[in-house]
Amino acid sequence: MTYFKIGTRDYSAYTNALKVITESRYNEQTNAAGDSVVDYINSKRTIEVGIIPLDDAMLKTLMADIAAFNVNISFLNPNTNTLENNVSCKIPESEVSYYTIQAGNVKTQALTLSFQEL
């Protein structure tokens, strides 16, 4: 089953968490009578994806896939339990550090990627 893809590459085997945060944007004003008027502008989602420790080759592949200005991702939405395809997102800021550096066994720390819907 697919949980998380970037473009056409499936990262479900490397995903350990998936969280969808919806943030609504609105404009609130108070008129002379003291009434509040709220104008709904839009809502955007932030998709947080937990990635397990990766080896060097898989990390290079992942970083290459998120190197563009924006990426299309597909993810299993935990709110609806359906796969949402081709959601356009801006690339996440990522911080990568090593978990272990041994001869023949180089792994990164688990990391979280936070994609913001465009």
Side-chain angles (χ1 to χ4, degrees):
M1 177 173 212
T2 300
Y3 299 104
F4 177 66
K5 287 173 35 175
I6 300 174
T8 58
R9 192 161 309 172
D10 192 352
Y11 287 97
S12 298
Y14 307 103
T15 303
N16 66 0
L18 200 124
K19 182 177 179 182
V20 177
I21 303 163
T22 303
E23 182 179 322
S24 297
R25 291 181 174 84
Y26 58 91
N27 185 12
E28 181 179 0
Q29 298 177 353
T30 304
N31 62 18
D35 298 328
S36 292
V37 177
V38 178
D39 295 324
Y40 174 75
I41 299 171
N42 67 1
S43 63
K44 294 212 176 199
R45 296 180 294 182
T46 300
I47 298 97
E48 292 182 356
V49 181
I51 304 293
I52 63 173
L54 301 173
D55 61 19
D56 246 1
M58 198 65 220
L59 178 65
K60 287 179 186 175
T61 302
L62 175 65
M63 290 298 142
D65 283 347
I66 64 172
F69 173 72
N70 66 348
V71 293
N72 285 330
I73 64 170
S74 301
F75 62 95
L76 185 65
N77 189 330
N79 298 326
T80 61
N81 202 28
T82 58
L83 186 68
E84 293 195 28
N85 291 307
N86 297 322
V87 177
S88 185
C89 297
K90 71 177 186 176
I91 61 168
E93 293 181 11
S94 55
E95 182 176 318
V96 179
S97 58
Y98 286 108
Y99 169 71
T100 182
I101 303 174
Q102 300 170 348
N105 187 21
V106 177
K107 296 246 186 214
T108 63
Q109 291 274 4
L111 61 132
T112 301
L113 299 175
S114 184
F115 294 89
Q116 189 174 28
E117 186 176 29
L118 292 176

